[in-house]
Short mmCIF file of all heavy atoms in Angstrom, two decimals:
data_model
loop_
_atom_site.label_atom_id
_atom_site.label_comp_id
_atom_site.label_asym_id
_atom_site.label_seq_id
_atom_site.Cartn_x
_atom_site.Cartn_y
_atom_site.Cartn_z
N MET A 1 68.07 100.37 117.03
CA MET A 1 69.45 100.73 117.03
C MET A 1 70.08 100.32 115.74
O MET A 1 69.89 99.23 115.26
CB MET A 1 70.15 100.08 118.24
CG MET A 1 71.63 100.28 118.31
SD MET A 1 72.35 99.45 119.67
CE MET A 1 73.96 99.00 119.04
N SER A 2 70.83 101.25 115.15
CA SER A 2 71.45 100.91 113.88
C SER A 2 72.95 100.62 114.08
O SER A 2 73.70 101.44 114.54
CB SER A 2 71.26 102.07 112.84
OG SER A 2 71.98 103.23 113.36
N VAL A 3 73.31 99.41 113.75
CA VAL A 3 74.75 99.07 113.85
C VAL A 3 75.38 99.19 112.50
O VAL A 3 74.94 98.65 111.52
CB VAL A 3 74.89 97.59 114.44
CG1 VAL A 3 76.36 97.24 114.44
CG2 VAL A 3 74.34 97.56 115.81
N GLN A 4 76.43 99.92 112.48
CA GLN A 4 77.18 100.14 111.29
C GLN A 4 78.39 99.24 111.27
O GLN A 4 78.93 98.83 112.33
CB GLN A 4 77.82 101.57 111.34
CG GLN A 4 77.06 102.67 110.68
CD GLN A 4 77.87 103.95 110.85
OE1 GLN A 4 78.13 104.38 111.94
NE2 GLN A 4 78.26 104.59 109.74
N GLU A 5 78.86 98.98 110.09
CA GLU A 5 80.08 98.20 110.00
C GLU A 5 80.96 98.90 108.92
O GLU A 5 80.50 99.09 107.80
CB GLU A 5 79.83 96.73 109.55
CG GLU A 5 81.07 95.87 109.58
CD GLU A 5 80.86 94.42 109.29
OE1 GLU A 5 80.12 93.79 110.09
OE2 GLU A 5 81.33 93.92 108.28
N LEU A 6 82.11 99.31 109.37
CA LEU A 6 83.05 100.02 108.43
C LEU A 6 84.28 99.13 108.34
O LEU A 6 84.70 98.56 109.29
CB LEU A 6 83.44 101.37 108.99
CG LEU A 6 82.36 102.36 109.37
CD1 LEU A 6 82.87 103.56 110.08
CD2 LEU A 6 81.60 102.77 108.10
N SER A 7 84.82 99.01 107.13
CA SER A 7 86.07 98.26 107.02
C SER A 7 87.12 99.02 106.24
O SER A 7 86.79 99.79 105.34
CB SER A 7 85.83 96.84 106.48
OG SER A 7 85.49 96.94 105.11
N TYR A 8 88.32 98.76 106.65
CA TYR A 8 89.48 99.53 106.09
C TYR A 8 90.61 98.57 105.79
O TYR A 8 90.78 97.60 106.53
CB TYR A 8 90.00 100.55 107.09
CG TYR A 8 88.93 101.49 107.60
CD1 TYR A 8 88.13 101.13 108.62
CD2 TYR A 8 88.76 102.71 106.96
CE1 TYR A 8 87.09 102.03 109.04
CE2 TYR A 8 87.74 103.59 107.31
CZ TYR A 8 86.94 103.22 108.38
OH TYR A 8 85.95 104.10 108.77
N THR A 9 91.36 98.86 104.75
CA THR A 9 92.64 98.13 104.54
C THR A 9 93.72 99.02 105.03
O THR A 9 93.84 100.19 104.59
CB THR A 9 92.80 97.89 103.01
OG1 THR A 9 91.67 97.09 102.59
CG2 THR A 9 94.06 97.03 102.77
N VAL A 10 94.50 98.49 105.93
CA VAL A 10 95.57 99.32 106.58
C VAL A 10 96.93 98.63 106.33
O VAL A 10 97.17 97.51 106.81
CB VAL A 10 95.31 99.43 108.09
CG1 VAL A 10 96.44 100.25 108.74
CG2 VAL A 10 93.96 100.10 108.37
N ALA A 11 97.76 99.30 105.56
CA ALA A 11 99.13 98.73 105.28
C ALA A 11 100.01 98.90 106.43
O ALA A 11 99.88 99.78 107.30
CB ALA A 11 99.67 99.43 104.04
N GLY A 12 101.01 97.97 106.57
CA GLY A 12 102.05 98.12 107.53
C GLY A 12 101.87 97.45 108.86
O GLY A 12 102.73 97.42 109.66
N MET A 13 100.66 96.90 109.05
CA MET A 13 100.47 96.16 110.34
C MET A 13 101.04 94.76 110.20
O MET A 13 100.63 94.08 109.30
CB MET A 13 98.93 96.07 110.62
CG MET A 13 98.21 97.38 110.82
SD MET A 13 96.54 97.17 111.38
CE MET A 13 95.84 96.09 110.09
N SER A 14 101.96 94.45 111.08
CA SER A 14 102.63 93.14 110.90
C SER A 14 102.67 92.25 112.11
O SER A 14 102.99 91.07 112.00
CB SER A 14 104.09 93.42 110.40
OG SER A 14 104.72 94.20 111.32
N CYS A 15 102.32 92.77 113.27
CA CYS A 15 102.50 91.95 114.48
C CYS A 15 101.43 92.30 115.53
O CYS A 15 100.60 93.22 115.33
CB CYS A 15 103.89 92.07 115.08
SG CYS A 15 104.17 93.66 115.81
N GLY A 16 101.45 91.61 116.63
CA GLY A 16 100.50 91.83 117.72
C GLY A 16 100.53 93.23 118.24
O GLY A 16 99.56 93.81 118.62
N HIS A 17 101.74 93.78 118.23
CA HIS A 17 101.89 95.23 118.72
C HIS A 17 101.09 96.15 117.86
O HIS A 17 100.40 97.05 118.34
CB HIS A 17 103.38 95.60 118.82
CG HIS A 17 103.58 97.01 119.28
ND1 HIS A 17 103.51 97.39 120.53
CD2 HIS A 17 103.79 98.16 118.54
CE1 HIS A 17 103.70 98.70 120.62
NE2 HIS A 17 103.86 99.16 119.39
N CYS A 18 101.25 95.98 116.55
CA CYS A 18 100.53 96.87 115.56
C CYS A 18 99.01 96.73 115.80
O CYS A 18 98.28 97.66 115.82
CB CYS A 18 100.80 96.45 114.15
SG CYS A 18 102.53 96.43 113.68
N LYS A 19 98.61 95.48 115.94
CA LYS A 19 97.22 95.15 116.15
C LYS A 19 96.64 95.85 117.39
O LYS A 19 95.59 96.46 117.38
CB LYS A 19 97.06 93.64 116.23
CG LYS A 19 95.63 93.11 116.41
CD LYS A 19 95.64 91.60 116.35
CE LYS A 19 94.25 91.07 116.60
NZ LYS A 19 94.16 89.61 116.31
N THR A 20 97.42 95.76 118.52
CA THR A 20 96.99 96.39 119.77
C THR A 20 96.99 97.88 119.62
O THR A 20 96.06 98.57 120.05
CB THR A 20 97.99 96.00 120.90
OG1 THR A 20 98.02 94.60 121.00
CG2 THR A 20 97.56 96.60 122.18
N ALA A 21 97.98 98.47 118.94
CA ALA A 21 98.02 99.92 118.80
C ALA A 21 96.83 100.45 118.01
O ALA A 21 96.17 101.43 118.44
CB ALA A 21 99.32 100.34 118.06
N VAL A 22 96.49 99.80 116.89
CA VAL A 22 95.37 100.22 116.13
C VAL A 22 94.05 99.97 116.89
O VAL A 22 93.20 100.91 116.94
CB VAL A 22 95.31 99.47 114.77
CG1 VAL A 22 94.02 99.73 114.06
CG2 VAL A 22 96.48 99.85 113.92
N THR A 23 93.91 98.86 117.51
CA THR A 23 92.73 98.56 118.29
C THR A 23 92.46 99.62 119.34
O THR A 23 91.34 100.09 119.54
CB THR A 23 92.74 97.16 118.88
OG1 THR A 23 92.96 96.20 117.86
CG2 THR A 23 91.49 96.78 119.63
N GLU A 24 93.51 99.92 120.13
CA GLU A 24 93.38 100.83 121.27
C GLU A 24 92.94 102.23 120.81
O GLU A 24 92.20 102.89 121.45
CB GLU A 24 94.64 100.84 122.10
CG GLU A 24 94.78 99.61 122.94
CD GLU A 24 95.99 99.61 123.82
OE1 GLU A 24 96.87 100.53 123.66
OE2 GLU A 24 96.10 98.69 124.66
N GLU A 25 93.52 102.67 119.67
CA GLU A 25 93.19 103.99 119.17
C GLU A 25 91.74 104.05 118.64
O GLU A 25 90.99 104.94 118.93
CB GLU A 25 94.18 104.44 118.06
CG GLU A 25 95.50 104.88 118.54
CD GLU A 25 95.50 106.21 119.42
OE1 GLU A 25 94.52 106.97 119.29
OE2 GLU A 25 96.40 106.37 120.18
N VAL A 26 91.40 103.04 117.86
CA VAL A 26 90.10 103.07 117.23
C VAL A 26 88.96 102.87 118.24
O VAL A 26 87.87 103.45 118.15
CB VAL A 26 89.99 102.04 116.09
CG1 VAL A 26 88.65 101.97 115.47
CG2 VAL A 26 91.04 102.35 114.99
N GLU A 27 89.26 102.07 119.28
CA GLU A 27 88.27 101.90 120.38
C GLU A 27 87.82 103.18 121.05
O GLU A 27 86.75 103.27 121.65
CB GLU A 27 88.81 100.93 121.42
CG GLU A 27 88.54 99.47 121.13
CD GLU A 27 89.18 98.53 122.15
OE1 GLU A 27 90.05 98.97 122.98
OE2 GLU A 27 88.89 97.34 122.11
N GLN A 28 88.69 104.17 120.97
CA GLN A 28 88.41 105.45 121.63
C GLN A 28 87.49 106.34 120.83
O GLN A 28 87.00 107.40 121.35
CB GLN A 28 89.68 106.24 121.92
CG GLN A 28 90.51 105.49 122.99
CD GLN A 28 91.94 106.18 123.17
OE1 GLN A 28 92.03 107.37 123.09
NE2 GLN A 28 92.96 105.36 123.35
N VAL A 29 87.26 106.02 119.59
CA VAL A 29 86.33 106.82 118.72
C VAL A 29 84.91 106.63 119.19
O VAL A 29 84.50 105.60 119.53
CB VAL A 29 86.48 106.37 117.23
CG1 VAL A 29 85.51 107.12 116.36
CG2 VAL A 29 87.96 106.54 116.73
N ALA A 30 84.22 107.83 119.25
CA ALA A 30 82.84 107.85 119.66
C ALA A 30 81.99 106.84 118.90
O ALA A 30 82.07 106.82 117.70
CB ALA A 30 82.32 109.27 119.60
N GLY A 31 81.24 106.04 119.63
CA GLY A 31 80.26 105.16 119.02
C GLY A 31 80.78 103.80 118.68
O GLY A 31 79.99 102.90 118.35
N VAL A 32 82.09 103.65 118.76
CA VAL A 32 82.68 102.32 118.40
C VAL A 32 82.37 101.27 119.49
O VAL A 32 82.67 101.50 120.65
CB VAL A 32 84.23 102.44 118.18
CG1 VAL A 32 84.88 101.08 118.06
CG2 VAL A 32 84.49 103.25 116.94
N ALA A 33 81.81 100.14 119.05
CA ALA A 33 81.53 99.07 119.98
C ALA A 33 82.55 97.92 119.90
O ALA A 33 82.80 97.28 120.88
CB ALA A 33 80.15 98.53 119.70
N ALA A 34 83.08 97.68 118.73
CA ALA A 34 83.98 96.61 118.54
C ALA A 34 84.97 96.88 117.36
O ALA A 34 84.62 97.52 116.42
CB ALA A 34 83.20 95.34 118.26
N VAL A 35 86.17 96.44 117.57
CA VAL A 35 87.25 96.61 116.56
C VAL A 35 87.90 95.22 116.33
O VAL A 35 88.27 94.52 117.28
CB VAL A 35 88.36 97.57 117.00
CG1 VAL A 35 89.38 97.77 115.91
CG2 VAL A 35 87.72 98.94 117.48
N GLU A 36 87.93 94.86 115.07
CA GLU A 36 88.63 93.61 114.71
C GLU A 36 89.77 93.90 113.74
O GLU A 36 89.52 94.57 112.77
CB GLU A 36 87.68 92.61 114.03
CG GLU A 36 86.76 91.84 114.96
CD GLU A 36 85.74 91.07 114.28
OE1 GLU A 36 86.03 90.54 113.15
OE2 GLU A 36 84.61 90.97 114.73
N VAL A 37 90.93 93.34 114.08
CA VAL A 37 92.05 93.56 113.16
C VAL A 37 92.54 92.18 112.68
O VAL A 37 92.75 91.28 113.47
CB VAL A 37 93.22 94.26 113.88
CG1 VAL A 37 94.42 94.40 112.97
CG2 VAL A 37 92.79 95.65 114.40
N ASP A 38 92.59 92.00 111.35
CA ASP A 38 93.13 90.81 110.81
C ASP A 38 94.44 91.14 110.11
O ASP A 38 94.50 91.80 109.09
CB ASP A 38 92.11 90.21 109.77
CG ASP A 38 92.62 88.85 109.29
OD1 ASP A 38 93.54 88.75 108.53
OD2 ASP A 38 91.92 87.85 109.73
N LEU A 39 95.52 90.59 110.71
CA LEU A 39 96.87 90.91 110.21
C LEU A 39 97.12 90.29 108.87
O LEU A 39 97.83 90.89 108.04
CB LEU A 39 97.93 90.44 111.24
CG LEU A 39 97.98 91.20 112.57
CD1 LEU A 39 99.01 90.53 113.50
CD2 LEU A 39 98.33 92.68 112.36
N ASP A 40 96.61 89.14 108.56
CA ASP A 40 96.87 88.50 107.29
C ASP A 40 96.28 89.27 106.15
O ASP A 40 96.87 89.47 105.11
CB ASP A 40 96.28 87.04 107.29
CG ASP A 40 97.08 86.18 108.24
OD1 ASP A 40 98.33 86.40 108.45
OD2 ASP A 40 96.44 85.24 108.87
N SER A 41 95.02 89.70 106.30
CA SER A 41 94.36 90.48 105.17
C SER A 41 94.55 91.99 105.33
O SER A 41 94.10 92.69 104.49
CB SER A 41 92.90 90.13 105.14
OG SER A 41 92.26 90.54 106.38
N LYS A 42 95.15 92.39 106.45
CA LYS A 42 95.33 93.83 106.72
C LYS A 42 93.96 94.61 106.82
O LYS A 42 93.97 95.81 106.55
CB LYS A 42 96.20 94.56 105.62
CG LYS A 42 97.48 93.89 105.30
CD LYS A 42 98.46 93.86 106.48
CE LYS A 42 99.81 93.20 106.07
NZ LYS A 42 100.51 92.60 107.23
N GLN A 43 93.03 93.87 107.23
CA GLN A 43 91.70 94.44 107.36
C GLN A 43 91.39 94.90 108.78
O GLN A 43 91.71 94.15 109.70
CB GLN A 43 90.60 93.45 106.96
CG GLN A 43 90.53 93.18 105.47
CD GLN A 43 89.94 94.35 104.73
OE1 GLN A 43 90.59 94.99 103.90
NE2 GLN A 43 88.71 94.65 104.99
N VAL A 44 90.82 96.06 108.87
CA VAL A 44 90.35 96.55 110.22
C VAL A 44 88.81 96.70 110.03
O VAL A 44 88.36 97.44 109.19
CB VAL A 44 91.00 97.89 110.61
CG1 VAL A 44 90.37 98.42 111.87
CG2 VAL A 44 92.50 97.75 110.76
N VAL A 45 88.08 96.01 110.90
CA VAL A 45 86.61 96.09 110.80
C VAL A 45 86.16 96.74 112.09
O VAL A 45 86.51 96.37 113.21
CB VAL A 45 85.97 94.71 110.63
CG1 VAL A 45 84.43 94.82 110.63
CG2 VAL A 45 86.42 94.09 109.32
N VAL A 46 85.35 97.81 111.97
CA VAL A 46 84.80 98.57 113.07
C VAL A 46 83.31 98.47 113.10
O VAL A 46 82.67 98.70 112.09
CB VAL A 46 85.20 100.05 112.93
CG1 VAL A 46 84.66 100.90 114.08
CG2 VAL A 46 86.76 100.17 112.77
N ARG A 47 82.72 98.09 114.27
CA ARG A 47 81.29 98.06 114.40
C ARG A 47 80.90 99.06 115.49
O ARG A 47 81.57 99.20 116.52
CB ARG A 47 80.89 96.65 114.81
CG ARG A 47 81.02 95.63 113.70
CD ARG A 47 80.37 94.30 114.00
NE ARG A 47 80.72 93.36 112.94
CZ ARG A 47 81.85 92.72 112.87
NH1 ARG A 47 82.73 92.90 113.84
NH2 ARG A 47 82.11 91.89 111.88
N GLY A 48 79.76 99.65 115.25
CA GLY A 48 79.27 100.58 116.28
C GLY A 48 78.04 101.31 115.80
O GLY A 48 77.48 101.03 114.79
N ASP A 49 77.68 102.33 116.56
CA ASP A 49 76.47 103.08 116.28
C ASP A 49 76.84 104.50 115.93
O ASP A 49 77.38 105.21 116.71
CB ASP A 49 75.60 103.05 117.56
CG ASP A 49 74.19 103.63 117.29
OD1 ASP A 49 73.81 103.64 116.13
OD2 ASP A 49 73.51 103.95 118.26
N VAL A 50 76.58 104.89 114.73
CA VAL A 50 76.93 106.27 114.23
C VAL A 50 78.37 106.60 114.40
O VAL A 50 78.74 107.48 115.16
CB VAL A 50 76.00 107.36 114.81
CG1 VAL A 50 76.08 108.62 113.99
CG2 VAL A 50 74.61 106.89 114.96
N VAL A 51 79.22 105.76 113.76
CA VAL A 51 80.66 106.03 113.87
C VAL A 51 81.10 106.85 112.70
O VAL A 51 80.68 106.69 111.57
CB VAL A 51 81.43 104.66 113.79
CG1 VAL A 51 82.90 104.87 113.80
CG2 VAL A 51 80.99 103.73 114.93
N SER A 52 81.98 107.90 113.01
CA SER A 52 82.45 108.77 112.00
C SER A 52 83.65 108.14 111.23
O SER A 52 84.60 107.74 111.84
CB SER A 52 82.92 110.12 112.64
OG SER A 52 83.86 110.71 111.80
N ASP A 53 83.48 108.09 109.92
CA ASP A 53 84.58 107.47 109.12
C ASP A 53 85.83 108.28 109.25
O ASP A 53 86.94 107.81 109.36
CB ASP A 53 84.08 107.50 107.66
CG ASP A 53 85.12 107.05 106.67
OD1 ASP A 53 85.62 105.87 106.78
OD2 ASP A 53 85.52 107.85 105.78
N ASP A 54 85.68 109.66 109.24
CA ASP A 54 86.86 110.50 109.37
C ASP A 54 87.56 110.27 110.72
O ASP A 54 88.77 110.26 110.75
CB ASP A 54 86.45 111.96 109.31
CG ASP A 54 86.08 112.42 107.89
OD1 ASP A 54 86.48 111.66 106.94
OD2 ASP A 54 85.49 113.52 107.70
N ALA A 55 86.79 110.07 111.78
CA ALA A 55 87.34 109.93 113.13
C ALA A 55 88.13 108.55 113.18
O ALA A 55 89.17 108.48 113.78
CB ALA A 55 86.29 109.94 114.19
N VAL A 56 87.60 107.52 112.51
CA VAL A 56 88.27 106.25 112.55
C VAL A 56 89.57 106.36 111.75
O VAL A 56 90.60 105.89 112.20
CB VAL A 56 87.42 105.14 111.91
CG1 VAL A 56 88.21 103.87 111.72
CG2 VAL A 56 86.17 104.87 112.73
N ARG A 57 89.55 107.04 110.60
CA ARG A 57 90.78 107.19 109.81
C ARG A 57 91.79 108.02 110.62
O ARG A 57 93.00 107.71 110.56
CB ARG A 57 90.44 107.95 108.50
CG ARG A 57 89.68 107.03 107.54
CD ARG A 57 89.27 107.76 106.26
NE ARG A 57 88.53 106.84 105.42
CZ ARG A 57 89.10 105.99 104.52
NH1 ARG A 57 90.37 105.94 104.43
NH2 ARG A 57 88.33 105.20 103.81
N ALA A 58 91.36 109.04 111.36
CA ALA A 58 92.22 109.81 112.18
C ALA A 58 92.85 109.00 113.27
O ALA A 58 94.09 109.10 113.58
CB ALA A 58 91.51 111.07 112.72
N ALA A 59 92.09 108.10 113.86
CA ALA A 59 92.62 107.19 114.93
C ALA A 59 93.67 106.29 114.38
O ALA A 59 94.67 105.98 115.01
CB ALA A 59 91.43 106.47 115.60
N ILE A 60 93.41 105.74 113.12
CA ILE A 60 94.38 104.81 112.56
C ILE A 60 95.66 105.57 112.28
O ILE A 60 96.77 105.01 112.51
CB ILE A 60 93.76 104.22 111.26
CG1 ILE A 60 92.61 103.24 111.59
CG2 ILE A 60 94.80 103.49 110.43
CD1 ILE A 60 91.77 102.78 110.39
N ARG A 61 95.49 106.80 111.83
CA ARG A 61 96.71 107.66 111.59
C ARG A 61 97.44 107.90 112.88
O ARG A 61 98.65 107.86 112.94
CB ARG A 61 96.29 108.94 110.95
CG ARG A 61 97.22 109.49 109.96
CD ARG A 61 96.65 110.72 109.18
NE ARG A 61 95.51 110.36 108.37
CZ ARG A 61 94.33 110.99 108.53
NH1 ARG A 61 94.13 111.99 109.32
NH2 ARG A 61 93.33 110.63 107.73
N GLU A 62 96.66 108.19 113.95
CA GLU A 62 97.26 108.46 115.25
C GLU A 62 98.04 107.25 115.75
O GLU A 62 99.07 107.42 116.44
CB GLU A 62 96.07 108.73 116.24
CG GLU A 62 96.47 109.30 117.57
CD GLU A 62 97.13 110.67 117.52
OE1 GLU A 62 96.73 111.49 116.66
OE2 GLU A 62 98.00 110.88 118.33
N ALA A 63 97.66 106.07 115.42
CA ALA A 63 98.33 104.85 115.82
C ALA A 63 99.63 104.66 114.99
O ALA A 63 100.45 103.84 115.27
CB ALA A 63 97.41 103.60 115.70
N GLY A 64 99.73 105.43 113.87
CA GLY A 64 100.95 105.35 113.04
C GLY A 64 100.77 104.64 111.73
O GLY A 64 101.76 104.27 111.12
N TYR A 65 99.48 104.41 111.35
CA TYR A 65 99.24 103.69 110.11
C TYR A 65 98.31 104.49 109.21
O TYR A 65 97.77 105.55 109.69
CB TYR A 65 98.62 102.29 110.42
CG TYR A 65 99.48 101.53 111.38
CD1 TYR A 65 99.27 101.66 112.77
CD2 TYR A 65 100.51 100.76 110.87
CE1 TYR A 65 100.13 101.01 113.63
CE2 TYR A 65 101.38 100.06 111.78
CZ TYR A 65 101.20 100.19 113.17
OH TYR A 65 102.03 99.55 114.01
N GLU A 66 98.14 104.07 107.99
CA GLU A 66 97.26 104.79 107.05
C GLU A 66 96.25 103.88 106.48
O GLU A 66 96.60 102.78 105.93
CB GLU A 66 98.16 105.34 105.93
CG GLU A 66 97.56 106.47 105.14
CD GLU A 66 97.39 107.80 105.85
OE1 GLU A 66 98.29 108.17 106.60
OE2 GLU A 66 96.32 108.41 105.76
N ALA A 67 94.97 104.26 106.59
CA ALA A 67 93.91 103.50 105.97
C ALA A 67 93.85 103.79 104.46
O ALA A 67 93.87 104.97 104.08
CB ALA A 67 92.53 103.87 106.62
N ALA A 68 93.78 102.74 103.64
CA ALA A 68 93.75 102.92 102.23
C ALA A 68 92.40 103.54 101.82
O ALA A 68 91.39 103.29 102.45
CB ALA A 68 93.97 101.58 101.51
CU1 LIG B 101 103.93 95.45 114.74
#
């Protein structure tokens, strides 16, 4: 099994609500096993098996944020 790790810098996340919104959207992307959001560094780290970069970016956008 190949585990991928994708990381994104997402501006505008400032509180627990933002963190939850992004996490819940990205968790729904096919193949995603884990989502970590670090508010201090604005980093979103996604782990999973054959995860689509485009789908993760779309999910982040769906949550109301933009991946750099
Ligand atoms: Cu917030």
Side-chain angles (χ1 to χ4, degrees):
M1 178 181 146
S2 62
V3 175
Q4 264 181 302
E5 187 175 296
L6 304 172
S7 71
Y8 303 86
T9 302
V10 180
M13 299 188 302
S14 55
C15 69
H17 176 80
C18 303
K19 183 172 174 171
T20 302
V22 171
T23 301
E24 285 182 351
E25 284 294 337
V26 176
E27 271 176 349
Q28 293 174 37
V29 175
V32 170
V35 182
E36 279 173 35
V37 177
D38 187 287
L39 291 175
D40 293 327
S41 65
K42 309 295 183 208
Q43 286 290 115
V44 175
V45 177
V46 179
R47 290 189 187 80
D49 191 20
V50 199
V51 177
S52 157
D53 176 61
D54 284 346
V56 173
R57 289 175 182 275
I60 290 170
R61 213 172 299 125
E62 191 65 33
Y65 306 90
E66 196 71 41

